[in-house]
Amino acid sequence: MTHVLVAGRIHEAGIATLRDAGFGVRAIDDVSTESYAPHLGEADALLIRTQPLTATEIAAAPRLRIVSRHGVGYDAVDVAALDARNIPLTIVGDVNAAAVAEHTLAFLLALAKQVRSFDVEVRHGNWGVRNAFGATELAGKTLLLVGFGRIGRGVSALAGAFGMRVAAFDPFQSENAIRAAGASPVGSLEGGLAEADYVSLHLPRSGTRPLIGAAEIARMKPSACLINTARGGLVDEAALASALEEGRLRGAALDVFEAEPPSPEHPLMRSDRVLLSPHVAGLSIESAIRMSQAAARNIIDFFAGRLDPALVVNRERLG
């Protein structure tokens, strides 16, 4: 029997998919390296959440033939170590795009309508806060989408329904493709940042330098808000915390962090201008089912010899 190690809790639908296909499954609910590492020796396949998979863990899995990511990002996976053993790494495609787009819109609305601060004030008896006229409308505001793939296009459609002007910066998308999807292309990130009322990130991390650092934040309007539901490390979190504290940005919302979970002492934890969520943008009930089943099917399809190359990060390792 082929043995699959599931590292981190996934929806039971994915476990059932594997077992129905005749695979043996060991499921470890805890999302940590320490919890799954002792079981790598028996694994023919690894289905993994967001925890690191380094060369050390890969070396401890002599039978391993495929790694299936429960998601689309793979920053925490040592792809080179997998390549050295011709082990393919798969992702699940666009099954969580709608969930991330909706989470982004929830952040947009919550920032515009000051949902967090109004909730706190009412609970503390400050009904008079309603006279501050602090909420704003999305209609007529400019949203800059940095990255215009499946999720960015989904956010664009939702924001457009609220009457926002949507601009997009994506060097890998043609201006015609951006216009065809209902957004306005911008020629440079710097120019787009200066014009935007809201900036939302929807692209993978590239390199070691944050995409949005102190210099980029300085280009934004003091009335602007920054949203990151893409990847931790895209934003210089210390620079963001300083800008919020000093009133150089109106607000921010983060679903992802450089280190997860962030420390309770993280400077953003002290700010009442930022909304935080625990890397859950893609984890609606519906998308959790789709992701678990897609990640399971990648493993099943690999052993059946029908794995879709479009879902393989290092597709040259398919042979």
Side-chain angles (χ1 to χ4, degrees), residues 138-172:
L138 293 182
K141 301 300 191 301
T142 296
L143 168 64
L144 174 66
L145 298 172
V146 184
F148 203 64
R150 292 182 297 268
I151 295 171
R153 290 167 190 257
V155 175
S156 178
L158 295 172
F162 279 80
M164 300 191 80
R165 174 186 174 270
V166 181
F169 173 76
D170 190 328
F172 300 103

Side-chain angles (χ1 to χ4, degrees), residues 48-138:
I48 191 167
R49 288 278 304 275
T50 56
Q51 61 270 57
L53 177 65
T54 71
T56 299
E57 288 79 52
I58 294 167
R63 294 166 47 179
L64 189 64
R65 296 181 59 192
I66 180 173
V67 175
S68 179
R69 261 284 292 121
H70 182 268
V72 295
Y74 50 91
D75 297 347
V77 177
D78 189 333
V79 179
L82 293 178
D83 287 347
R85 287 181 47 192
N86 290 316
I87 297 172
L89 169 66
T90 64
I91 57 176
V92 298
D94 63 354
V95 297
N96 67 351
V100 178
E102 289 183 2
H103 196 90
T104 302
L105 191 73
F107 272 159
L108 275 167
L109 284 164
L111 288 167
K113 303 304 178 184
Q114 296 196 351
V115 172
R116 179 183 183 275
S117 60
F118 284 158
D119 178 85
V120 170
E121 294 298 334
V122 171
R123 292 175 189 274
H124 285 83
N126 184 15
W127 190 255
V129 71
R130 67 188 299 271
N131 296 315
F133 304 114
T136 62
E137 298 175 359
L138 293 182

